Each structure stands twice: as structure tokens, then as C-alpha cells.
């Protein structure tokens, strides 16, 4: 993880990206060009080919090494399970002082704005007996006692309900 403590987009999290990919230069070397029969397109000076290559290479590299790493994915899954376990028992104050579940906060912007990393710490430090399973799973994450990987499969396109082929 980056010293900032969280994983963010490549421009802020990757020291490597900050040394090789220059976003300011890329923006200065871009402009909108009218392409006949195609309309306006953002185009870049040809001298920026390497900079664009570095942008996509860095993005790919971070996805491969961090964002989609099997341990990162496992921790994400376990933290999701913690939040699901705590949902019924952990409330956030929303509009008009009304308490709402975390999953309902999407409909209450006052409550939604309060949700951040502190929720995990509050669950961890809670003495609420109903949050015990969530606390135990958080302890497993901290001990790096991860869920066991069983296997994976790629579903055929026809099985997916959101497929373009339908």
C-alpha cells in the first residue's frame, strides 16, 4: 500500500507513475480536433505516444499487482462480509436524526456522507454482542487468516444476463 494508507487511482498511489507518467504534460499536449464524418475527438501530439503508453502500462501494472491481487480481493470480500454482518446492528444517524442501516444510507445523503473507514473501527471496538461475528471476522483479516481459495471459472457469455448478445 501507498504510505497514505489506502489504494487510490494510479496518479496518486503509484510512485512509479508519478515519476514516469506526466498527466499535466499530456493535458497540455491534447486538443479537440474535428474528424470528417466522425465529429470532434480528443487528440494528442504524436510526441506523447510514450506518455500514453506509460499511463496504460502503469494502470495495467497496478491492477495486476494491487487492485486485482488475490489477497486484495480476499480482504475486500471479507470486509464486505463484515459490513453485511453488521448492517442490521450498526446504525448511522441520518436526516432528521433518524437512525438507518448502512445499506439504507444510499437513500439518505446525511447518513451516506458519514460512512467512511471509521465504521470498521467502530465495529471492531464495539461491545455490542450482536456484532461479535463481524468483530471475529475483522480479527481474521488482521491476523491474515484469509478465506481459502477454492477455485474459479469463466462463465460463457450466454449465461450472463447483462450480455450484449441477448
Amino acid at each position: 500500500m501507498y504510505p497514505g494508507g489506502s489504494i487510490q487511482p494510479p496518479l496518486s498511489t503509484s510512485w512509479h507513475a508519478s515519476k514516469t507518467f506526466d498527466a499535466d504534460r499530456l493535458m497540455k499536449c491534447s486538443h479537440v480536433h474535428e474528424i470528417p464524418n466522425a465529429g470532434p475527438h480528443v487528440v494528442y501530439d504524436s510526441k506523447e505516444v510514450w506518455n500514453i503508453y506509460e499511463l496504460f502500462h502503469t494502470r495495467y501494472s497496478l491492477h495486476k499487482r494491487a487492485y486485482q491481487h488475490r489477497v486484495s480481493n480476499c480482504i475486500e470480500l471479507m470486509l464486505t462480509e463484515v459490513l453485511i454482518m453488521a448492517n442490521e446492528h450498526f446504525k448511522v444517524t441520518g436526516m432528521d436524526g433518524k437512525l438507518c442501516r448502512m445499506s439504507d444510507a444510499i437513500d439518505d445523503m446525511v447518513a451516506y456522507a458519514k460512512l467512511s473507514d471509521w465504521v470498521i473501527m467502530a465495529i471492531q471496538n464495539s461491545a455490542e454482542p450482536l456484532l461479535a461475528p463481524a468483530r471475529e471476522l475483522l480479527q481474521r483479516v488482521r491476523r491474515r487468516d484469509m478465506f481459502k481459495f477454492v477455485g474459479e471459472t469463466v462463465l460463457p457469455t450466454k449465461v450472463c444476463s447483462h450480455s450484449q448478445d441477448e
Side-chain angles (χ1 to χ4, degrees):
M1 256 192 231
Y2 188 71
S6 64
I7 296 178
Q8 304 225 349
L11 294 180
S12 62
T13 60
S14 173
W15 179 84
H16 180 71
S18 67
K19 298 299 179 196
T20 60
F21 170 68
D22 187 350
D24 292 331
R25 178 181 167 92
L26 186 62
M27 293 309 292
K28 288 176 186 169
C29 294
S30 67
H31 52 279
V32 176
H33 184 72
E34 189 70 33
I35 310 271
N37 300 324
H41 282 65
V42 176
V43 296
Y44 303 94
D45 294 344
S46 59
K47 63 186 175 187
E48 289 306 301
V49 167
W50 182 253
N51 205 12
I52 293 169
Y53 170 80
E54 279 299 309
L55 164 69
F56 286 101
H57 179 263
T58 300
R59 182 178 182 273
Y60 171 79
S61 186
L62 286 170
H63 271 275
K64 195 76 172 156
R65 296 179 186 171
Y67 307 147
Q68 299 300 318
H69 189 274
R70 66 178 182 79
V71 175
S72 296
N73 287 342
C74 187
I75 291 171
E76 180 181 342
L77 177 65
M78 292 176 80
L79 291 177
T80 300
E81 289 294 319
V82 165
L83 295 174
I84 290 170
M85 289 176 186
N87 187 52
E88 294 297 323
H89 314 293
F90 189 85
K91 310 287 187 201
V92 180
T93 307
M95 227 178 314
D96 302 323
K98 179 182 140 201
L99 292 177
C100 68
R101 298 178 312 170
M102 292 181 285
S103 62
D104 295 330
I106 191 70
D107 298 321
D108 184 336
M109 285 300 109
V110 173
Y112 184 78
K114 293 178 181 177
L115 295 177
S116 68
D117 294 347
W118 73 270
V119 171
I120 298 293
M121 293 306 295
I123 293 168
Q124 171 100 25
N125 296 323
S126 170
E128 171 65 48
L130 295 171
L131 290 175
R135 282 194 303 274
E136 176 53 36
L137 190 52
L138 278 174
Q139 284 303 319
R140 281 189 63 185
V141 171
R142 293 194 191 291
R143 289 190 313 259
R144 296 188 62 84
D145 177 17
M146 304 297 166
F147 289 157
K148 299 296 179 217
F149 179 75
V150 176
E152 67 182 327
T153 186
V154 177
L155 296 175
T157 307
K158 293 178 184 177
V159 173
C160 299
S161 62
H162 63 279
S163 168
Q164 298 286 346
D165 298 336
E166 295 182 315

